[in-house]
Amino acid sequence: ATLVEAASPTLEHLKGQNVVILLGKTGTGKSTLMHAIAGRQLTRRRYRSAGGGTEKDVYESHPPLEGFNIGHEQKSMTKTIKHFTRGSPDGECVVYVDSAGFEDTSGMEVDIAT
């Protein structure tokens, strides 16, 4: 499927909704923020990259928000836009949209789309 086809369910869901789009560079925490918005518990832990690089603090979500992977490398985990809808006590809904990062590591097709 193309990027546009993969994003179609989210694009259809956005019509007439209050929307917040999370934008930023790859690895800045957009997907992690999406987990927090969804009310997931975030726990911090130390992480060493697969290549044995320096250690850093990372966050894990419990339970994970399905479809919103949190990466710990400078490699994009989000390949296409995805959405999460959160309601408020007054009945208003806000649709939060996670996007692939600027300077995405997945190649030219994604770079052009972002």
Side-chain angles (χ1 to χ4, degrees):
T2 68
L3 286 172
V4 173
E5 290 169 340
S8 288
T10 292
L11 296 173
E12 286 298 316
H13 190 78
L14 299 180
K15 291 181 180 176
Q17 300 293 322
N18 297 314
V19 178
V20 174
I21 301 174
L22 304 179
L23 300 170
K25 284 187 173 185
T26 297
T28 58
K30 296 177 300 297
S31 296
T32 304
L33 177 59
M34 186 68 77
H35 284 257
I37 289 168
R40 299 303 199 259
Q41 178 182 345
L42 296 174
T43 55
R44 185 174 61 177
R45 71 175 180 89
R46 296 296 289 168
Y47 175 80
R48 182 183 297 273
S49 67
T54 60
E55 285 191 8
K56 64 180 180 177
D57 287 335
V58 298
Y59 290 88
E60 302 285 345
S61 175
H62 304 285
L65 182 59
E66 188 175 336
F68 295 88
N69 297 324
I70 298 174
H72 302 315
E73 303 284 334
Q74 278 303 116
K75 175 182 168 191
S76 180
M77 297 299 293
T78 305
K79 304 300 180 198
T80 185
I81 61 171
K82 297 184 181 187
H83 71 279
F84 172 80
T85 303
R86 182 174 181 142
S88 66
D90 64 3
E92 281 280 320
C93 288
V94 176
V95 181
Y96 294 89
V97 178
D98 192 11
S99 64
F102 302 140
E103 300 176 4
D104 192 295
T105 58
S106 297
M108 186 174 71
E109 184 179 6
V110 175
D111 268 350
I112 291 169
T114 58

